[in-house]
Amino acid sequence: MYNSIWAVVEQGNIRPLENIEAPEGTRVLVTFMPETESEFWIHASQPSLDEIWNNSDDDVYAELLQK
């Protein structure tokens, strides 16, 4: 399973910004993303997310949940 988390570099060590549960020795993949690029990708992906989640086709599911 893949899981992405935010982390910061402190004195050469990578420190997660949230608690994680991973066994000792778990291999991880670290991708460095400058703050300016993360903002770009957040804003670039928002229209796609809006198109997927904010559409009238999903109203049928809300109606089914109310029954």
Side-chain angles (χ1 to χ4, degrees), residues 37-59:
E37 285 188 33
S38 66
E39 286 298 315
F40 167 79
W41 288 111
I42 289 169
H43 293 297
S45 63
Q46 193 62 52
S48 295
L49 291 171
D50 289 343
E51 186 176 326
I52 291 169
W53 293 107
N54 297 333
N55 65 70
S56 60
D57 292 340
D58 287 339
D59 292 344

Side-chain angles (χ1 to χ4, degrees):
M1 176 175 97
Y2 293 101
N3 186 19
S4 297
I5 62 165
W6 288 104
V8 293
V9 177
E10 292 179 342
Q11 299 177 353
N13 295 308
I14 297 170
R15 182 180 62 82
L17 294 177
E18 59 191 69
N19 290 330
I20 58 170
E21 298 211 13
E24 191 71 25
T26 298
R27 293 182 62 178
V28 298
L29 172 66
V30 178
T31 304
F32 288 91
M33 183 182 312
E35 196 67 32
T36 55
E37 285 188 33
S38 66
E39 286 298 315
F40 167 79
W41 288 111
I42 289 169
H43 293 297
S45 63
Q46 193 62 52
S48 295
L49 291 171
D50 289 343
E51 186 176 326
I52 291 169
W53 293 107
N54 297 333
N55 65 70
S56 60
D57 292 340
D58 287 339
D59 292 344
V60 67
Y61 297 110
E63 291 172 16
L64 290 172
L65 290 174
Q66 291 177 357
K67 293 182 179 182

